[in-house]
Every structure is written in C-alpha cells, then in structure tokens.
Amino acid sequence: MNTLLVEEKPDRLIVRLHRPEARNAINAEMVGDLHAVCSFLERDPRPLLLTGGNGFFAAGADIAELLERGRDQALQGINSTLFERIRRLPMPTVAAVDGYALGGGAELAYACDIRVAGTEARFGNPEPNLGIIAGAGACWRLKELVGEPLAKLVLLAGHTIGAEEALSCRLVASVHEPESLEAAAHTLIDRMAKMSPAALRLTKLVLDAPPSAHPVTDHLAQAVLFEDPDKHARMRKFLDRNRKDTR
C-alpha cells in the first residue's frame, strides 16, 4: 500500500495514514487502501488502531481530486461509503488523533468507535469555505457525538475543536502528550484484548443497532453468548478465583 503503513499483530491491526507530502489528505488511492483494510478486518476481526503522523491525522480530502468530481461522484458517496464501512467493522476501532483532523480527516475520526487525542489535536469541518458540505458523515454524525449546538458551531461557523474542548464534550476519551498518544491508544486495545472476542463483537453490534431493534437484539446476542464455551470457561475461572480468595 502506498498511502498506509500497516502493522499486523495477533490481537490488533495498526494502520497509519501515510501521505506526508500531502498532510495525509485522503485521496482515491487511500480510499482504496482503506477498503482493503476493511476487507481484511471483516474476514479476520480484530480491533483497529488508526493514526496519522508528522503532526497530522488527516488534513481533509484531496482538494485537487474534489475539484474534478461532479454530481455522479457525489452520488456514489466515495468517502461516506468508506467511513460507514469503518464504523460497521465487527470489532472496535480506535483513532489516535495527533494534530489536525480536518474535513474528511475529521469525518474519518468521527466514524471510529473511540478517539484519543494529542494535546495539539484539532477537529474541524471547513467544507463550506470550499463551496461544499461536510458530506461524508459530519452533518449527522458530529451532532450525535457532541450535541447540536457545538456541531452547528463547527459546521456553520468554522469553529475548530481543540484537544481540551474535545475532551470536555467527550468527542475524545482522553488527551495525551504526542509522544505518549499511541501508547494510550494501545492501552485501550490491551483492555479489549482481555475480553471475550465474541462478547466484544456482539456488544458493538447491539450498541449500533437502531432503537427499534431492542430488546430483541440484546436477547439474541445473549443467547448466542450463553452457549459459547468461552463464556463457561471465563465464568468458571472467575468463580474459582473467588473461592480461593475466600479461603
């Protein structure tokens, strides 16, 4: 892959956006590379750590490509289709955002399950300055994440959310010095790696289900897990440990 640096580990996949000459702007080639990552994770589910480098998560979509796109490309939803696919990956996704996440870069971060930020992180959607909307999810996803007043400030008035404000509105889970950001993201995934993979996967599925699907989805997921040998092994281990502690 020319636009990504990928490191595969048994319990996670680490993907670094890598177009340093373009501040990690998301172009068609990167979209294709990220679809390939999604295909891999759909076949072999594991948590994803997504990050950037050189002081940028991603400085937006590639403007030179956007300039040449017309109505037909807009209706294809090139970026929004990718970001929704990332949101629907079977296992949790963590975005480690250091520096700027703007436009499509911000929308990519919004599509992840959890975000952690460096102290210099900045989230923004300046698309109206370029004569377009934030059409890859920000116009509805950001409102769900931070609430309507702040989302309108970002999308209608060009407000940029800095790291501390992102923490206070819970857009990000935590803020760290840049040199410790990835370690913090890995700590989150370390916790996930200790959990039942099936329980983690079904929890995400139930969390993302529409309100009308509850409580049926909850009951079905629990029914599957109640028959899982891993559930029996984990509960026996818990009970055995408690018995030893009470002796």
Side-chain angles (χ1 to χ4, degrees):
M1 293 182 181
N2 294 322
T3 70
L4 305 176
L5 301 176
V6 179
E7 181 181 357
E8 181 182 352
K9 294 191 175 184
D11 62 354
R12 71 199 66 185
L13 193 72
I14 304 154
V15 174
R16 188 181 306 278
L17 308 180
H18 187 65
R19 293 189 70 216
E21 75 287 353
R23 299 177 177 179
N24 292 338
I26 300 169
N27 65 351
E29 186 175 13
M30 185 181 284
V31 168
D33 287 346
L34 286 169
H35 272 298
V37 166
C38 290
S39 294
F40 174 81
L41 290 172
E42 288 159 354
R43 292 192 306 271
D44 187 0
R46 64 187 79 178
L48 167 67
L49 171 56
L50 184 63
T51 189
N54 300 313
F56 285 90
F57 180 73
D62 190 294
I63 303 304
E65 287 189 359
L66 286 181
L67 177 63
E68 300 304 319
R69 290 181 186 174
R71 174 186 58 204
D72 292 342
Q73 288 73 37
L75 292 174
Q76 290 171 18
I78 294 169
N79 286 0
S80 63
T81 300
L82 168 65
F83 299 163
E84 182 61 15
R85 189 177 185 185
I86 289 171
R87 190 188 76 83
R88 292 181 179 273
L89 284 172
M91 294 289 271
T93 55
V94 178
V97 179
D98 185 25
Y100 285 95
L102 301 176
E107 290 175 305
L108 174 57
Y110 303 156
C112 292
D113 294 311
I114 300 171
R115 289 154 294 282
V116 293
T119 53
E120 299 303 313
R122 298 290 183 273
F123 298 86
N125 289 95
E127 284 89 343
N129 280 325
L130 298 171
I132 58 175
I133 70 166
C139 282
W140 53 274
R141 192 169 277 138
L142 185 59
K143 182 170 67 173
E144 292 179 352
L145 290 169
V146 304
E148 184 174 319
L150 181 53
K152 285 187 173 181
L153 193 63
V154 171
L155 294 162
L156 301 179
H159 178 68
T160 300
I161 302 175
E164 291 303 322
E165 184 179 15
L167 180 61
S168 68
C169 72
R170 305 306 292 170
L171 178 60
V172 302
S174 55
V175 174
H176 307 270
E177 293 298 329
E179 60 271 15
S180 60
L181 175 61
E182 285 191 40
H186 279 293
T187 297
L188 272 175
I189 296 178
D190 289 342
R191 293 182 206 162
M192 298 171 186
K194 294 177 182 177
M195 298 178 183
S196 157
L200 198 62
R201 182 172 180 177
L202 285 172
T203 297
K204 178 173 177 177
L205 190 66
V206 172
L207 269 169
D208 288 342
S212 60
H214 301 291
V216 175
T217 52
D218 311 56
H219 298 166
L220 290 173
Q222 198 75 298
V224 171
L225 293 170
F226 273 14
E227 301 296 327
D228 188 349
D230 186 44
K231 167 251 189 180
H232 292 275
R234 286 172 179 269
M235 288 191 175
R236 288 193 185 101
K237 183 177 179 180
F238 175 85
L239 292 172
D240 289 343
R241 186 170 61 245
N242 278 4
R243 290 189 191 101
K244 290 176 184 178
D245 290 343
T246 57
R247 287 175 186 171

